[in-house]
Amino acid sequence: MLLPKIITKVQDKFPSVTLDTTQFAGEDIIHIQGSYNLDVLKLFRDNGFNFLADITAIDNLTLGGFERFAVVYHLLSHETAERVTIKAYVPEDQPELPSAESLWKTADWQEREIYDLFGISFKGHPNLIRIMNPDDFQGHPLRKDYPRLGRKERDDFPVVKRGINKEAAQ
Amino acid sequence: MQPDDIKSNILTTTLESAVNWGRKHSLWPMPFGTACCGIEFMAVLAARTDIARFGAEAIRFSPRQSDLLIVAGRISIKMMPVLIRIYEQMPEPKWVIAMGACASTGGVFDTYSVIQGVDKFIPVDVYVPGCPPRPEGVVEGLIKLQKLVETEKFSDYSTTRGK
Ligand code: SF4
């Protein structure tokens, strides 16, 4: 069991950074301040949690939380098969935090996805551009205040016709 | 050659119906498979339903060599410009089958990113309902389209595009 030791280590080393530790479905969740994510992630990586399984984000607009956005890192230890979740909170007015790309290369596309869909930017990311939506897309559709049916993006294309006079043909 | 032979060897028709007959039995589909319907379309091509029986087995992945666009799957806002471009690259005469609920109406994907039916932007001739449609459904759509090809009139072709 790696995890209890590391969690105490994190709490000792960064007492003001660790906002809370909770458990859900038998897995530990560590809530931290967004701007210190690299310090915490590096500590985990150097202590056995070598694999970044996923990065995702949460918009806490209606859920409530420490801040509006949480960037969620799922780590896995290949040694002990333990998993841990790290939630890094970022405020709404400055949705920015350091990129984990320097620690795990796999963070590259996942951070682009979060940037595209949530509008959270990652400092130090080598190529922070949209990955899913078209390049000229406006807005960040997974934010809870984005309308589900969009802002007319899906209606905004030229109408093409056949080179045949269809009305006369019918 | 005897006069009787001539009688049984000559067929009079109009050029229009002869050409349409040829076209209807040699549709070359360009499959635009973007989702699960694209997988089902493979079954349409395979041995059990085999659209070669209708002369439509020559699947072309180049729009310039095909005259039937089969839109199989949902079209996202990122894909729609590609689809429009491919449609415009196809030479006349050309037809479109919207295969499945997604291509016809957007299906269950009523979100900002999914086109609510490709017929909003490109002309669709035959809609095949289903999610996904069974291969038999696509064959039925193809037969319907063949009937439509039969009725096409040369005099309707306009010289200016999209008139
Ligand atoms: S109609 Fe159904 S099967 Fe076809 S693309 Fe849509 S969801 Fe997939």
Side-chain angles (χ1 to χ4, degrees):
Chain A
M1 289 290 277
L2 286 168
L3 204 48
K5 247 190 279 163
I6 302 178
I7 291 180
T8 16
K9 217 181 209 173
V10 170
Q11 278 165 336
D12 289 350
K13 241 181 151 177
F14 314 105
S16 59
V17 172
T18 328
L19 302 169
D20 199 2
T21 52
T22 53
Q23 279 210 331
F24 182 76
E27 280 180 20
D28 287 278
I29 304 170
I30 299 157
H31 306 256
I32 59 165
Q33 279 180 25
S35 38
Y36 297 94
N37 64 341
L38 281 197
D39 302 329
V40 177
L41 286 172
K42 198 162 186 312
L43 198 138
F44 271 96
R45 190 193 67 170
D46 296 343
N47 286 280
F49 284 87
N50 56 332
F51 184 69
L52 176 66
D54 193 16
I55 312 179
T56 180
I58 301 171
D59 184 353
N60 288 321
L61 185 65
T62 53
L63 294 173
F66 294 102
E67 295 283 0
R68 163 114 187 238
F69 297 110
V71 176
V72 187
Y73 300 86
H74 295 275
L75 303 186
L76 169 71
S77 162
H78 279 159
E79 262 169 65
T80 61
E82 281 171 281
R83 287 173 189 277
V84 65
T85 305
I86 298 164
K87 289 192 179 179
Y89 288 87
V90 255
E92 181 175 4
D93 48 357
Q94 208 200 347
E96 192 179 61
L97 77 175
S99 165
E101 198 264 350
S102 53
L103 299 180
W104 289 280
K105 285 281 172 259
T106 181
D108 183 343
W109 280 19
Q110 291 168 344
E111 286 179 347
R112 277 175 66 189
E113 189 178 347
I114 294 170
Y115 165 74
D116 187 0
L117 298 173
F118 286 92
I120 299 168
S121 40
F122 293 87
K123 255 181 290 171
H125 189 286
N127 182 31
L128 197 63
I129 53 171
R130 287 187 186 275
I131 191 169
M132 303 244 201
N133 285 303
D135 291 340
D136 56 356
F137 192 87
Q138 301 291 323
H140 303 285
L142 276 192
R143 288 190 175 188
K144 291 295 172 204
D145 50 7
Y146 194 89
R148 178 175 61 92
L149 300 185
R151 301 183 176 133
K152 299 242 176 302
E153 300 92 349
R154 64 184 192 182
D155 303 317
D156 196 17
F157 293 96
V159 177
V160 294
K161 293 206 171 105
R162 258 192 79 179
I164 175 176
N165 191 345
K166 264 292 179 149
E167 275 68 47
Q170 276 156 12
Chain B
M1 203 180 263
Q2 301 299 310
D4 275 0
D5 283 350
I6 293 177
K7 249 194 222 158
S8 56
N9 277 309
I10 287 184
L11 182 75
T12 57
T13 176
T14 59
L15 181 63
E16 193 173 76
S17 48
V19 168
N20 280 345
W21 175 84
R23 280 178 181 165
K24 110 179 189 200
H25 291 298
S26 63
L27 290 166
W28 284 20
M30 149 97 211
F32 197 82
T34 48
C36 8
C37 271
I39 305 295
E40 195 69 7
F41 184 70
M42 295 173 201
V44 179
L45 302 174
R48 188 176 284 252
T49 43
D50 194 9
I51 53 174
R53 295 177 294 151
F54 306 93
E57 83 278 22
I59 301 295
R60 294 291 134 158
F61 290 94
S62 163
R64 298 195 193 279
Q65 298 173 351
S66 47
D67 53 5
L68 169 60
L69 177 63
I70 296 182
V71 186
R74 48 196 167 269
I75 302 297
S76 66
I77 51 174
K78 202 170 180 178
M79 213 54 175
M80 195 64 208
V82 179
L83 181 64
I84 289 178
R85 180 144 189 183
I86 282 180
Y87 180 77
E88 293 202 312
Q89 281 176 339
M90 287 170 63
E92 289 283 352
K94 55 187 171 186
W95 298 275
V96 179
I97 291 181
M99 176 180 173
C102 289
S104 311
T105 66
V108 294
F109 304 97
D110 191 8
T111 69
Y112 70 99
S113 58
V114 178
I115 303 292
Q116 301 297 295
V118 291
D119 57 349
K120 281 186 137 183
F121 307 111
I122 63 172
V124 173
D125 298 285
V126 174
Y127 302 83
V128 182
C131 178
R134 287 198 52 87
E136 296 91 311
V138 182
V139 169
E140 170 84 18
L142 190 75
I143 295 170
K144 284 237 153 66
L145 188 81
Q146 288 184 330
K147 298 220 169 87
L148 196 94
V149 173
E150 237 173 24
T151 62
E152 204 126 297
K153 290 200 171 56
F154 288 180
S155 55
D156 290 333
Y157 294 128
S158 61
T159 43
T160 49
R161 211 184 103 254
K163 226 182 146 196

